[in-house]
Amino acid sequence: MKIDSVNSTYQPNSGLKRKNQNFTGMSAMQREIMNAIPHRKAIEGMKSLEWLKGEIGGILLTALGTGAVAPIFIGFNPFVKAPKNATTEQKEEIKNTKLYTAMRQPISAGLAILFQASVQKYIDKGLDKVFHDSRMSELAGLTHDMQEFESIYAIEAKVKDQVTKAGLKKPSLIKSWFSKEAKKQRKEYSEAFEAGVDAINDAKINELTKGLKETGKIKIGKRHLDSATFTQVINKQIDEYIKDAKALKKTHEQIASYVERAELLVKNKDHLTEIFKEVPVEETYATTDEKVLKPLYKKTETILKDLVRKEPKDSPVQVILKEILDLPEDLRADKVQRTLQRIDRINEMCGEQGFTADRYQKALRNRNNILDDKIDKLIRAKVKDPSKLNENTVHKVISKVADICGVKDGNVAHDILRDTSTFGAKVDKLKDKVYKDVVKGYKDLIDKHALSMGQFTKIAVGVLITLPITCTALNWVYPRFMDIFFPSLSGAKKNNKESDNPQTRAVQMTGGEK
Amino acid sequence: MAGISAIDKAGLAIGRTIARSTNLGMIKNSDKKFFLDKERAIGAATVISILLKDGIGCAMYVTQSLNNKKIPEKKRKFVSALDLTNGVLMIAAQIGMFFAMRRYSGPLFNKMFSKSFDAVAKSNMLARLRMWGTKARKVNPDLPLVRTLESSKEFEKVKDIGSGLFEFVANTAAATIIGKRVIVPLIATPAASRVEKWMNKHMNSSETKEPTMTGNIVKSSETEASKVNATANWNSSTNLLDKIRQDQIK
């Protein structure tokens, strides 16, 4: 049972104490999901190869392929053979040419590592410095000026210092392969490190949110986010809320199936309540101890199997029981409880007049209508004219969006909207959330623009700087390298022997025939 | 100190130029595309990067190899022919693999990882998260609710992370190792022989034919004759360095 981790997971800003963090940049809930899926180990295995995804990793991987694999398929290519009538000398020449050409690959790979890896490594760091240092970033476009945020390199250095001071050590990867203790220490270190980074980032978002609430502006050094970009950010956020509302809507098919199931449940309410009494729901909910839970799971399974046996084969309740038995053991008791809760909810939605299929269908459609109404209002709340967006209108738009997202407390038709934090009964809380979401949207925008600039720079540097250097270096190094280390392949050895011949010497000296 | 200050100044000047460049229309356009659809923009950047880097690289390698007098003439055309076929096939392989991976890695991932990410697995996971949340709130009622729609979004994000990792590993294994380094050289080498033959036919047609990888072998006496011809040609060279060399030989 993951109760301990759930507890720690949902403690806001719990900092270094958080658990189950194996993946950088993941939210606490995402980490919980990752830890609970059957393919966790396979994904972790793939994750361990992810370092190859970076620029350096990519270059090394390509270099490995170029340097170690490709030469074999060039040098010993079975499709290139000397013709049948070729002399031994000619056959030897073809073999030499293949080997000579194949040797170009490892040399090319070595040079790629030397020039490309060394340059690429500094592009990200360099850009990071440019856009976080106000002396340079203030000359950049507003959406590239990241001076309000700390550089990730600076944050990492700061957190590394904190974690080290807290007495945590990070053993090497190789050490962690052979020692369980080292593996544990490494995991603890990574968890603490990621939590520290998250805490700093969260604090900055909160600080900017506070500023936005006070001033209606997003501060960027001495400047503020321009109204056109601000409009873009706000409207994109409203689109996200619209998406949430759309996701909650039920299709005609879903409504039909809900009604069918509701009829089955309501008709058998008393019977289900009676037979489910035996299932240890409360006991299962009361503990988090796996040792206590395991026998409870077994007990639930025995009871459910027994109920299936006792129930007449043509009984509609068989369907419900089998569905519950098909679930993983840890979810069965929970499903029993939710099935009974669902019956109450269906009745509640139909009101005092009680359940009928029509009434329930109407209630479900009513929910869709409420959502349609919210979607319509959200669309209309979008900023139409960026030139009219100022600090006052920013507050107005955000308040309006929060009002639209508000739902009436105690209204059953509105209950479904509480399945997302986008909608809720407390409008003030929603308003705070919208402010924060707008700031997060702004952060998302500048991150994407930074990515755009990074890609652009890497292509430009690659084409204009590293590529010509690597090509020229290869052109210079390759023949010389071959002459020195593989003279028999390059023909230098043969030419040395022939150097007594003045005609041959002339050829060599002019470099035309080596 | 003056030295450091000069470096600092130069660094600042470069940094300011880079910062100013973000106001260029080309970069603003790219920014817009990354903001609207990041995945699509990364895809476009990858294809442009392959076309530009590998395309220009291929052209440079071919030209430089062809004109590199340090490479034995007998091998020069084959080396440059291989640069050409290798470059062209590499571009085709990378772009082909890129689109193939985009199309097939998702369905392949869904098939291989269905136990973790199919509709049933998702529904069970959402129920589990809600249950853990309820249990956690029993211990600490201040904890926020675990909401289905949000859990669902988080689940999809985890699936995306898994799928992204799978795509990377599959791409590395299939494209980077097998495709680019095994299949391409395997095809590029015999293709280079054909290109070399073509080069011999169409380029420097006055020159004597050399043995080629496709078996266009000429008698060695002809090769010897070409050396004599070559020496004769140098006698008429206008290059001063060549003249000095020729004097030395005499």
Side-chain angles (χ1 to χ4, degrees):
Chain A
M1 181 54 65
K2 306 280 179 184
I3 186 79
D4 294 337
S5 54
V6 170
N7 266 330
S8 57
T9 294
Y10 298 108
Q11 283 170 14
N13 299 325
S14 57
L16 304 183
K17 286 179 186 168
R18 289 203 305 198
K19 294 180 181 177
N20 293 309
Q21 299 175 52
N22 304 321
F23 289 81
T24 317
M26 268 191 172
S27 73
M29 190 182 278
Q30 285 168 19
R31 283 188 280 256
E32 289 301 334
I33 295 168
M34 187 60 88
N35 286 341
I37 56 172
H39 288 101
R40 178 178 63 89
K41 283 199 171 166
I43 293 181
E44 275 177 357
M46 294 193 294
K47 178 79 185 168
S48 67
L49 296 172
E50 208 191 15
W51 66 276
L52 290 166
K53 208 174 181 179
E55 287 297 332
I56 307 281
I59 290 165
L60 290 178
L61 200 66
T62 305
L64 181 77
T66 312
V69 186
I72 300 167
F73 291 91
I74 297 172
F76 303 100
N77 196 303
F79 301 120
V80 180
K81 289 178 195 162
K84 281 174 190 167
N85 60 349
T87 63
T88 317
E89 198 179 281
Q90 287 159 351
K91 280 180 185 168
E92 189 64 21
E93 181 61 36
I94 286 177
K95 192 180 146 200
N96 280 353
T97 304
K98 281 203 288 182
L99 291 173
Y100 181 85
T101 316
M103 279 307 295
R104 192 172 159 87
Q105 304 296 317
I107 299 169
S108 162
L111 291 171
I113 292 175
L114 187 70
F115 295 112
Q116 293 178 19
S118 55
V119 171
Q120 294 285 347
K121 191 181 165 185
Y122 294 105
I123 292 179
D124 284 329
K125 272 196 170 180
L127 289 178
D128 192 76
K129 172 91 180 145
V130 168
F131 297 115
H132 284 92
D133 185 334
S134 62
R135 290 176 300 168
M136 295 174 269
S137 70
E138 61 189 15
L139 296 166
L142 276 166
T143 55
H144 283 279
D145 188 347
M146 300 173 94
Q147 61 172 296
E148 288 298 326
F149 294 90
E150 255 184 287
S151 146
I152 186 66
Y153 299 103
I155 294 175
E156 283 180 355
K158 202 187 270 181
V159 176
K160 198 176 170 186
D161 200 36
Q162 279 175 15
V163 174
T164 313
K165 272 183 190 163
L168 291 173
K169 281 179 190 166
K170 190 181 185 184
S172 74
L173 182 66
I174 296 167
K175 217 173 175 182
S176 72
W177 292 340
F178 302 103
S179 156
K180 274 191 177 176
E181 184 55 31
K183 194 178 177 183
K184 195 182 153 205
Q185 278 183 357
R186 204 176 149 85
K187 197 181 171 198
E188 277 172 3
Y189 183 95
S190 303
E191 287 168 3
F193 185 82
E194 282 161 22
V197 172
D198 285 354
I200 292 179
N201 286 332
D202 284 350
K204 191 69 219 177
I205 293 284
N206 290 336
E207 190 190 316
L208 279 178
T209 306
K210 199 178 161 211
L212 175 63
K213 276 167 80 178
E214 283 166 9
T215 63
K217 291 174 182 176
I218 291 180
K219 183 178 162 274
I220 307 165
K222 290 171 192 163
R223 304 183 284 176
H224 293 100
L225 190 65
D226 61 290
S227 59
T229 316
F230 212 159
T231 301
Q232 222 180 342
V233 171
I234 291 176
N235 286 349
K236 200 171 182 198
Q237 196 50 54
I238 295 175
D239 280 336
E240 286 298 316
Y241 300 151
I242 293 172
K243 219 188 269 175
D244 285 349
K246 282 183 179 168
L248 289 169
K249 278 181 71 177
K250 304 291 174 208
T251 61
H252 291 301
E253 293 76 20
Q254 279 172 322
I255 290 177
S257 113
Y258 277 35
V259 173
E260 196 185 329
R261 177 49 59 98
E263 279 186 298
L264 173 66
L265 291 173
V266 175
K267 222 179 255 178
N268 295 284
K269 184 191 171 188
D270 295 338
H271 182 52
L272 285 169
T273 313
E274 186 57 34
I275 62 173
F276 283 159
K277 264 182 189 166
E278 292 174 56
V279 180
V281 174
E282 286 306 317
E283 295 97 305
T284 310
Y285 261 92
T287 183
T288 61
D289 186 349
E290 282 290 331
K291 281 180 194 163
V292 182
L293 283 167
K294 277 280 173 192
L296 287 172
Y297 295 155
K298 193 77 207 158
K299 190 180 171 188
T300 305
E301 187 176 344
T302 314
I303 292 168
L304 289 169
K305 278 186 177 167
D306 201 35
L307 288 172
V308 169
R309 242 192 331 270
K310 283 182 195 162
E311 201 66 32
K313 280 197 175 152
D314 55 347
S315 163
V317 173
Q318 282 277 11
V319 180
I320 298 166
L321 292 171
K322 280 179 183 163
E323 272 178 13
I324 298 174
L325 264 171
D326 280 347
L327 289 171
E329 59 175 17
D330 60 323
L331 295 175
R332 288 172 189 153
D334 176 63
K335 182 71 177 177
V336 164
Q337 194 191 40
R338 285 200 296 122
T339 303
L340 295 175
Q341 283 172 349
R342 191 170 165 186
I343 299 172
D344 293 339
R345 180 62 63 91
I346 292 165
N347 283 325
E348 212 179 318
M349 279 181 73
C350 292
E352 287 169 4
Q353 294 157 304
F355 172 84
T356 65
D358 277 352
R359 214 168 279 145
Y360 184 56
Q361 194 178 45
K362 207 177 163 189
L364 288 172
R365 284 192 181 142
N366 185 31
R367 278 184 170 178
N368 274 358
N369 293 340
I370 292 167
L371 287 163
D372 279 335
D373 181 53
K374 292 210 178 287
I375 292 167
D376 188 46
K377 282 180 179 162
L378 283 168
I379 291 170
R380 277 188 276 130
K382 281 186 176 183
V383 182
K384 307 281 180 316
D385 184 359
S387 66
K388 286 181 185 161
L389 192 78
N390 55 40
E391 44 271 50
N392 296 326
T393 48
V394 164
H395 290 308
K396 273 184 192 167
V397 171
I398 289 177
S399 298
K400 197 172 178 184
V401 170
D403 281 339
I404 297 167
C405 292
V407 292
K408 287 174 200 160
D409 212 4
N411 184 326
V412 184
H414 282 180
D415 274 1
I416 194 169
L417 302 175
R418 298 213 190 94
D419 246 358
T420 162
S421 59
T422 301
F423 305 99
K426 291 171 185 164
V427 176
D428 279 348
K429 263 194 170 180
L430 281 177
K431 208 164 145 185
D432 288 347
K433 186 184 169 292
V434 179
Y435 275 111
K436 194 169 180 174
D437 284 347
V438 168
V439 172
K440 282 184 185 167
Y442 158 68
K443 178 76 167 68
D444 179 57
L445 175 118
I446 58 171
D447 283 344
K448 280 178 181 161
H449 284 192
L451 184 66
S452 152
M453 184 64 187
Q455 292 284 329
F456 194 90
T457 312
K458 277 170 196 164
I459 295 174
V461 171
V463 171
L464 301 172
I465 302 170
T466 48
L467 195 61
I469 293 174
T470 314
C471 287
T472 311
L474 179 66
N475 199 41
W476 192 89
V477 172
Y478 168 56
R480 287 167 177 81
F481 180 91
M482 293 304 287
D483 280 355
I484 295 166
F485 296 103
F486 300 95
S488 56
L489 289 180
S490 72
K493 210 176 199 175
K494 192 177 155 193
N495 291 341
N496 284 342
K497 281 180 192 166
E498 288 170 358
S499 58
D500 289 344
N501 182 340
Q503 213 173 58
T504 315
R505 208 169 67 219
V507 173
Q508 283 174 353
M509 285 189 73
T510 49
E513 178 80 352
K514 271 194 132 297
Chain B
M1 283 304 282
I4 295 167
S5 161
I7 291 169
D8 200 25
K9 272 183 190 169
L12 268 178
I14 294 169
R16 283 178 175 154
T17 311
I18 293 170
R20 278 194 191 100
S21 74
T22 57
N23 293 310
L24 293 172
M26 208 167 21
I27 291 181
K28 280 187 173 174
N29 196 25
S30 163
D31 290 345
K32 210 178 278 175
K33 289 193 167 119
F34 269 83
F35 182 62
L36 293 175
D37 191 342
K38 191 175 102 176
E39 292 307 318
R40 206 185 163 93
I42 289 176
T46 308
V47 173
I48 292 169
S49 171
I50 293 167
L51 284 173
L52 278 177
K53 278 175 163 176
D54 287 23
I56 295 172
C58 171
M60 284 184 79
Y61 280 134
V62 173
T63 317
Q64 288 182 338
S65 298
L66 266 179
N67 296 304
N68 191 341
K69 298 276 160 61
K70 289 289 285 178
I71 298 174
E73 199 175 337
K74 280 179 186 176
K75 296 177 174 73
R76 204 180 299 156
K77 280 181 185 155
F78 185 72
V79 169
S80 53
L82 187 67
D83 278 336
L84 180 68
T85 53
N86 207 36
V88 171
L89 285 169
M90 200 76 86
I91 293 171
Q94 286 185 92
I95 293 178
M97 283 290 180
F98 173 76
F99 286 112
M101 279 298 147
R102 273 196 145 188
R103 190 183 171 120
Y104 298 113
S105 79
L108 204 62
F109 174 81
N110 289 340
K111 210 170 181 181
M112 287 173 72
F113 290 81
S114 61
K115 259 190 173 178
S116 292
F117 296 112
D118 68 6
V120 176
K122 182 179 175 179
S123 154
N124 288 342
M125 181 60 76
L126 298 188
R128 198 168 279 127
L129 289 168
R130 191 172 42 220
M131 185 178 74
W132 290 345
T134 312
K135 284 193 174 196
R137 276 167 64 86
K138 281 195 172 182
V139 180
N140 180 2
D142 292 338
L143 291 175
L145 275 170
V146 176
R147 299 165 199 273
T148 308
L149 192 68
E150 263 136 36
S151 314
S152 170
K153 279 185 192 171
E154 299 289 70
F155 184 87
E156 289 303 324
K157 279 179 194 161
V158 173
K159 189 178 173 184
D160 286 347
I161 292 169
S163 169
L165 287 169
F166 177 77
E167 187 178 336
F168 165 69
V169 173
N171 189 38
T172 303
T176 313
I177 306 286
I178 310 287
K180 280 163 71 180
R181 307 300 159 199
V182 177
I183 298 170
V184 168
L186 210 61
I187 303 169
T189 317
S193 305
R194 289 179 183 277
V195 174
E196 187 199 15
K197 195 177 172 185
W198 182 90
M199 281 176 171
N200 276 326
K201 208 171 170 184
H202 294 89
M203 295 166 72
N204 309 324
S205 55
S206 60
E207 279 180 17
T208 311
K209 285 175 181 172
E210 294 288 347
T212 67
M213 301 296 282
T214 43
N216 187 14
I217 297 168
V218 290
K219 285 174 186 169
S220 54
S221 59
E222 285 177 12
T223 317
E224 287 305 316
S226 73
K227 289 177 185 173
V228 177
N229 285 341
T231 320
N233 287 338
W234 298 324
N235 288 337
S236 59
S237 171
T238 52
N239 187 316
L240 277 177
L241 192 64
D242 283 350
K243 280 187 176 174
I244 293 164
R245 281 174 180 161
Q246 285 159 24
D247 290 342
Q248 282 176 339
I249 294 164
K250 281 171 193 171

